[in-house]
Amino acid sequence: MALKCGIVGLPNVGKSTLFNCLSNAKAQAANFPFCTIEPNVGVITVPDERLNKLAEIIHPERIVPTTVEIVDIAGLVKGASKGEGLGNKFLANIRETDAIIHVLRCFDDPNVVHVDGSVDPVRDKEIIDTELQIKDLETVDARISKVQKQAQTGGDKQAKQIYEVLVKFKEALEQGKNARTVEFDAKDDQRIAHELFLLTNKPVLYVCNVDEASAVTGNAYVEKVRETVKSEQAEILVVAAKIEGEIAELETYEEREMFLGEIGLSESGVSRLIKAAYRLLDLETFLTAGVQEVRAWTYRKGSKAPQCAGVIHTDFEKGFIRAEVIKFDDYIGYGSEAAVKEAGKMNVEGKDYVVQDGDIMHFRFNV
């Protein structure tokens, strides 16, 4: 499931530093792999402690985590929607992503020049929002010109529905609001809204890049961002990219854990960021466990057993018979698959079963 998160931000906010830390995520996840597809795209493993706990019991030949793709989109500038900088190219890159990680500078440092002369994360957010909104408004206006006549005079029910969705987006965008702030109750309206692929309708995670002293508690800049985005129902993550760079350079797991403990963190910002990006894409993980491999598989939250079987192989979905499901805590608690079965804790589920995060699955199928 090749899903992408794009990292955006103004120049000199710590965006590339963060991407470089993510590039070293392999060092923070034991032997988990990292590979670069092209200079600004990385496939990064999603940290999942459950894999290691299962491996301690099963001793498999290999552990295979799930992944998410991160795209480092070069710094946007004011006027990007009109082609300033390399605006059009970067806006196209954002359009190809499924979600946005928006990095905001929330630290003071006289040695790092700010493109607009002063530190103001709310202003920075609004600059990028405006550029994306202008581009979205162009998209909406173009679509309105195509469907308006059919919607108003042709008696075309679908055209009318599309037109009404477009008008709601146009009103919000003209007020300087992001498309994601517009809510639709009807499933058809939600589908139409999604198929427009508007830049400001993508789910967003705001990453506040702070100094070391603010890594645990945040600071006044972070609070301003939190207040500004509360209507967007967006998650905010506080990360000190400079510290993350230092963590990435440490050789062993023990050294990293000690470093984190000294500054009062239980988990690195990079690890939290990867997990947050995974949630942002509305993804969850089911597991398969055997002596050959313990593996994490990505699926869309809310998927049923046959669709999850299809993640492994399309034949599994076509010929789905049933799923044998063990809850992760039961597997760890009883210590083996055989012990779970003996205790009557393995459930046999049919095609209507909604898979839960962390389920250990075994699919029965016949093709």
Side-chain angles (χ1 to χ4, degrees), residues 170-181:
K170 183 176 171 67
E171 288 171 356
L173 291 164
E174 287 180 338
Q175 291 170 27
K177 296 177 182 176
N178 288 319
R180 74 181 71 89
T181 62

Side-chain angles (χ1 to χ4, degrees), residues 9-112:
L10 292 178
N12 294 342
V13 297
K15 183 173 56 62
S16 293
T17 303
L18 204 54
F19 180 79
N20 291 337
C21 294
L22 289 165
S23 301
N24 287 322
K26 66 176 188 296
Q28 299 179 46
N31 295 319
F32 295 170
F34 167 84
C35 65
T36 300
I37 298 172
E38 53 185 79
N40 65 336
V41 181
V43 177
I44 298 165
T45 58
V46 178
D48 194 333
E49 297 79 4
R50 296 173 298 194
L51 293 173
N52 293 328
K53 288 183 179 179
L54 286 172
E56 287 171 9
I57 294 172
I58 299 168
H59 305 294
E61 293 174 17
R62 60 184 176 272
I63 301 172
V64 185
T66 190
T67 60
V68 66
E69 204 166 289
I70 305 288
V71 185
D72 183 21
I73 296 165
L76 286 170
V77 295
K78 194 179 291 185
S81 57
K82 303 300 180 188
E84 290 295 324
L86 291 174
N88 288 329
K89 180 185 175 185
F90 299 140
L91 290 169
N93 287 342
I94 295 170
R95 198 177 297 283
E96 291 169 7
T97 65
D98 300 285
I100 294 172
I101 298 169
H102 189 158
V103 182
L104 296 166
R105 177 172 171 174
C106 294
F107 65 90
D108 293 306
D109 185 342
N111 296 317
V112 181

